[in-house]
Amino acid sequence: MEVGIVARKGSERAASLAATLRDVVVDAGESVWLDEETAGALDAGDDARPVDAFGDCDLVVAVGGDGTFLFVARNAGDTPIVGVNLGEVGFLNAVPPADAATALRAEIRAFRGGGLDVREAPRLTASASDWTSTPAANEVVVQGERRGPGGGIDYEVRVDGSRYAGGHADGVLVATPTGSTAYNLSERGPLVHPEVDGLVVNEMVADEGMPPLVVDADATVTVSVADDAGATVVSDGRDTATLDGPVEVTVERAAPPIRIAGPPSDFFEALGKLS
């Protein structure tokens, strides 16, 4: 079994826990990979691998907050991920630090016994002509070059070909249930339970907008921008592309989904930490 471990960058606490988990894997007689940052922090260069190679692992452990989990998810393909929560909320990272070693031993036993118990969370991609975005775990945003007065986009939103909304806004956000607690929430969108198979369509500071809409997870959402200035598309607040206008951006579910191993988080307990 190949087990990858990624610790939050710059965190001594995360690095220390990663060292403990590395020992758990080695003591179990399995192979351990560390991303290059974690290997450097632990002076374990022989175990270092590029994080984008972790898709070849059987399991990856993300030690940190939800941001660390999403960093792993962007790079690990469909490899199952166990999240150890060193953050404040923990929608994705369900395992407390004190339980991390026990949880990892349980996952190793499960793998040896025939397979891991894995849950799936959707990802999104945006596309236009011959361009496709990096898959997003939280949301895709189609917006103007800048927000606020004098900025934004003139747009039309369609869901499976049917017009839902249009006008002028700072932008349009399409979020997964995972992402409903992130940027979508700050834009007054609805919270969506992770077991709901849907996506949120949310206009951002629209002049005459519609309420946020939850659509089927397999729906195709298109955002058309007629202006020659085009649009800026942002995936998970991280990866940005500027597209010339006029342009039609299509947002839809991507494969593979994020695969989450280990015990599930308590969604409502995590919500309580937001206040």
Side-chain angles (χ1 to χ4, degrees), residues 74-270:
R74 282 193 294 272
N75 291 279
D78 63 353
T79 298
I81 306 168
V82 173
V84 178
N85 184 29
L86 299 184
E88 295 297 324
V89 181
F91 285 106
L92 294 169
N93 290 10
V95 180
D99 298 340
T102 299
L104 180 52
R105 292 188 188 101
E107 293 305 300
I108 293 171
R109 288 195 300 271
F111 181 86
R112 290 171 174 171
L116 303 172
D117 185 12
V118 174
R119 306 173 301 284
E120 294 185 349
R123 301 184 219 240
L124 299 173
T125 55
S127 60
S129 299
D130 58 354
W131 169 83
T132 301
S133 73
T134 302
N138 279 344
E139 76 281 313
V140 170
V141 174
V142 182
Q143 62 182 37
E145 182 179 2
R146 60 189 178 86
R147 298 188 57 175
I153 53 173
D154 294 317
Y155 66 96
E156 180 180 76
V157 179
R158 291 183 174 270
V159 178
D160 290 335
S162 296
R163 187 183 189 278
Y164 170 63
H168 186 86
D170 280 356
V172 177
L173 178 152
V174 182
T176 65
T178 302
S180 73
T181 61
Y183 195 1
N184 167 70
L185 186 59
S186 70
E187 294 290 340
R188 301 178 181 271
L191 294 168
V192 180
H193 192 279
E195 293 183 6
V196 172
D197 201 22
L199 305 175
V200 179
V201 182
N202 189 359
E203 299 165 278
M204 301 158 58
V205 197
D207 289 350
E208 296 181 0
M210 293 287 286
L213 175 70
V214 178
V215 300
D216 187 89
D218 288 319
T220 297
V221 180
T222 57
V223 182
S224 300
V225 180
D227 197 306
D228 290 341
T232 298
V233 183
V234 186
S235 298
D236 280 348
R238 178 184 179 93
D239 297 313
T240 301
T242 300
L243 307 179
D244 294 334
V247 64
E248 181 176 278
V249 179
T250 299
V251 182
E252 54 194 346
R253 180 146 67 166
I258 299 171
R259 303 180 71 220
I260 306 171
S265 63
D266 186 320
F267 178 72
F268 295 100
E269 180 182 344

Side-chain angles (χ1 to χ4, degrees), residues 5 18-30 100-106 108 112:
I5 300 175
T20 298
L21 298 179
R22 176 190 58 185
D23 292 343
V24 168
V25 177
V26 172
D27 290 346
E30 307 295 352
T102 299
L104 180 52
R105 292 188 188 101
I108 293 171
R112 290 171 174 171

